């Protein structure tokens, strides 16, 4: 039911554990495989390792900021780590990052020799502006992808950044260069917050924001790519439950990667998500994950295609939540009011914006045409 073919790789399910410190070495990768992931991605491997700053990871209820850079294992050391990771089987994708096409090709060739099943090129770094420019430059991404593709026989995917003006153009460059697919999106450059008493940022530099904060950006990026480029997509960003996986696949992804939820909840979340996907598919008489792909794209329109419908909000018979006036307070047009214990709608004032249907905790309000 959950078997997925991605880039010619046969995955037992579409849930991949993304690149990050949770996949920092062979033992960590082996644990991720054992947790039931369809595949795992190594922490990004570079030619010259760097020492970590301290502290480097912060989080809140909506996500995390991470300023860890790359793997601290030397390139040659990855031969041993790859053997440890794969000694019971499992699909390992090697994430690599570099400043030049030739350096990327060198790293990709090494990882192919060491037993990687695919290559993921990371072309952005939220901490360093110089690499962030790469993610926006389709020509540079083309050159990097082409050089790696010509150097290995493995599938090559490129991890795209949302910090770009035209993600479709970059995805088209990947395809033109012979790339097998794209993953989207990488963490987004940001600052998690500031301690207003000390005037000190949560972390002392810009970093990669992940988790719930970026899921809407990830969904939009995947949908945009799927609508404009015929290339396999792996969706990334803010996935912590089965529903999020389904959303990404219905908007065009073939599989997904999870990271922050693994970091905060542990690897057990992989099995929980996979099990919940199966249950949802059973309850909807869906026999393969391929049936999910693109189901929501047909319902996604450009703004120019939107029609002005005569929709107005109406109050249903469901009882209101006690001491709740959220719909009244948030109504921008003064259309919702209370008459005694009852919430009512002035249809002549309602413009059908739909906000009340989302803020009402009781599900009392509905848009009717």
């Amino acid at each position: 039911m959950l078997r997925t073919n991605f880039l010619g790789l046969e995955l037992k399910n579409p849930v991949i554990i993304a690149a990050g410190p949770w996949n920092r070495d062979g033992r960590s990768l082996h644990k991720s495989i054992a947790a039931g992931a369809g595949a795992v991605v190594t922490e990004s491997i570079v030619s010259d390792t760097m020492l970590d700053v301290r502290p480097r990871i912060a989080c809140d209820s909506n996500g995390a900021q991470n300023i860890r850079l790359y793997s601290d294992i030397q390139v040659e050391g990855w031969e041993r780590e790859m053997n440890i990771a794969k000694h019971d089987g499992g699909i390992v994708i090697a994430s690599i990052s570099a400043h030049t096409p030739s350096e990327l090709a060198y790293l990709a060739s090494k990882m192919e020799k060491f037993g990687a099943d695919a290559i993921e090129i990371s072309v952005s770094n939220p901490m360093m502006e110089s690499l962030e420019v790469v993610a926006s430059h389709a020509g540079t991404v083309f050159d990097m992808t082409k050089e790696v593709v010509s150097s290995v026989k493995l599938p090559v995917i490129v991890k795209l950044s949302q910090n770009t003006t035209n993600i479709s153009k970059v995805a088209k460059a990947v395809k033109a260069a012979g790339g097998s697919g794209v993953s989207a999106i990488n963490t987004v450059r940001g600052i998690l917050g500031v301690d207003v008493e000390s005037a000190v940022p949560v972390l002392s530099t810009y970093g990669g924001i992940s988790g719930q904060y970026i899921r809407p950006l990830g969904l939009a990026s995947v949908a945009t790519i799927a609508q404009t480029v015929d290339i396999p997509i792996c969706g990334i960003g803010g996935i912590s439950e089965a529903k999020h996986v389904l959303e990404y696949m219905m908007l065009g992804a073939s599989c997904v990667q999870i990271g922050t939820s693994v970091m905060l909840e542990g690897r057990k979340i992989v099995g929980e998500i996979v099990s919940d996907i199966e249950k949802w598919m059973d309850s909807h008489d869906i026999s393969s994950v391929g049936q999910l792909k693109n189901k929501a794209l047909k319902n996604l329109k450009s703004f120019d295609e939107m029609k002005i419908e005569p929709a107005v909000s109406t109050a249903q018979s469901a009882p209101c939540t006690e001491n709740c006036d959220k719909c009244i307070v948030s109504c921008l047009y003064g259309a919702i009011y209370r008459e005694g214990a009852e919430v009512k709608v002035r249809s002549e004032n309602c413009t059908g914006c739909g906000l009340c249907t989302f803020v009402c905790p009781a599900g009392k309000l509905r848009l009717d045409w």
Side-chain angles (χ1 to χ4, degrees):
M1 176 186 287
L2 295 185
R3 289 202 165 274
T4 304
N5 185 295
F6 182 59
L7 315 177
L9 302 172
E10 291 295 333
L11 279 56
K12 60 185 178 184
N13 63 67
V15 180
I16 299 171
I17 297 185
W22 45 85
N23 282 344
R24 64 185 177 277
D25 57 19
R27 190 163 304 195
S28 301
L29 289 159
H30 186 262
K31 288 180 180 178
S32 293
I33 292 169
V40 295
V41 186
T42 71
E43 189 167 27
S44 293
I45 298 162
V46 293
S47 299
D48 299 309
T49 59
M50 299 175 66
L51 292 176
D52 278 323
V53 297
R54 303 180 187 186
R56 56 185 173 273
I57 303 173
C59 71
D60 61 19
S61 59
N62 292 313
Q65 180 184 353
N66 183 355
I67 57 174
R68 176 166 166 88
L69 288 169
Y70 309 108
S71 168
D72 53 12
I73 297 172
Q74 296 288 342
V75 174
E76 296 299 331
W78 273 99
E79 181 172 15
R80 174 179 178 275
E81 304 305 327
M82 201 69 73
N83 287 334
I84 294 172
K86 293 174 65 73
H87 80 264
D88 286 331
I91 296 171
V92 179
I93 300 168
S95 172
I96 59 174
S97 184
H99 293 276
T100 66
S102 60
E103 187 182 359
L104 281 170
Y106 164 79
L107 291 171
S109 297
K110 282 288 187 181
M111 294 308 112
E112 180 179 42
K113 178 182 176 183
F114 296 160
D117 298 288
I119 301 295
E120 181 179 83
I121 305 172
S122 180
V123 294
S124 68
N125 183 323
M127 283 74 78
M128 295 183 176
E129 288 288 354
S130 59
L131 280 183
E132 200 63 49
V133 173
V134 173
S136 302
H137 199 295
T140 303
V141 171
F142 174 89
D143 293 340
M144 288 180 161
T145 307
K146 187 174 181 62
E147 189 74 16
V148 173
V149 168
S150 65
S151 301
V152 297
K153 296 179 181 178
L154 303 176
V156 176
I157 57 179
V158 181
K159 188 174 187 177
L160 304 183
S161 170
Q162 213 273 339
N163 292 144
T164 178
T165 54
N166 191 334
I167 199 168
S168 292
K169 185 176 181 180
V170 181
K172 288 178 181 178
V174 172
K175 181 178 181 180
S180 304
V182 296
S183 51
I185 55 173
N186 201 351
T187 56
V188 175
R189 180 178 173 86
I191 295 171
L192 193 63
V194 172
D195 181 336
V196 295
E197 299 302 324
S198 63
V200 174
V202 173
L203 291 176
S204 56
T205 188
Y206 301 95
I209 301 296
S210 60
Q212 293 184 49
Y213 287 114
I214 72 167
R215 187 168 63 254
L217 304 180
L219 291 171
S221 296
V222 165
T224 300
I225 296 167
Q227 286 183 325
T228 55
V229 190
D230 181 17
I231 193 168
I233 307 167
C234 184
I236 314 173
I239 297 169
S240 61
E241 58 181 82
K243 175 180 179 289
H244 303 154
V245 177
L246 299 173
E247 288 176 327
Y248 271 102
M249 298 190 77
M250 288 182 177
L251 287 172
S254 298
C255 58
V256 301
Q257 292 182 27
I258 62 174
T260 300
S261 58
V262 168
M263 178 173 67
L264 298 179
E265 303 295 334
R267 293 179 177 86
K268 62 179 176 58
I269 196 171
V270 175
E272 294 169 0
I273 289 174
V274 169
S275 176
D276 287 346
I277 294 171
E278 283 188 310
K279 291 175 184 175
W280 188 91
M281 290 174 63
D282 275 337
S283 68
H284 290 76
D285 295 321
I286 295 175
S287 59
S288 73
V289 288
Q291 293 174 252
L292 299 171
K293 188 176 177 182
N294 296 331
K295 282 179 70 71
L297 275 184
K298 63 184 178 182
N299 298 317
L300 187 66
K301 305 172 182 177
S302 69
F303 185 80
D304 291 341
E305 294 176 296
M306 297 293 288
K307 297 178 180 178
I308 300 176
E309 302 284 0
V312 294
S313 180
T314 57
Q316 309 304 301
S317 59
C320 287
T321 302
E322 189 175 355
N323 299 320
C324 177
D325 280 331
K326 288 185 177 179
C327 60
I328 298 171
V329 171
S330 65
C331 182
L332 303 172
Y333 303 95
I336 304 175
Y337 66 100
R338 186 179 291 281
E339 190 173 277
E342 287 295 309
V343 163
K344 295 190 176 183
V345 181
R346 298 184 184 91
S347 58
E348 66 274 18
N349 287 17
C350 180
T351 65
C353 75
L355 177 60
C356 61
T357 66
F358 288 92
V359 301
C360 175
K364 186 177 179 66
L365 294 156
R366 183 181 73 193
L367 278 187
D368 286 334
W369 281 263

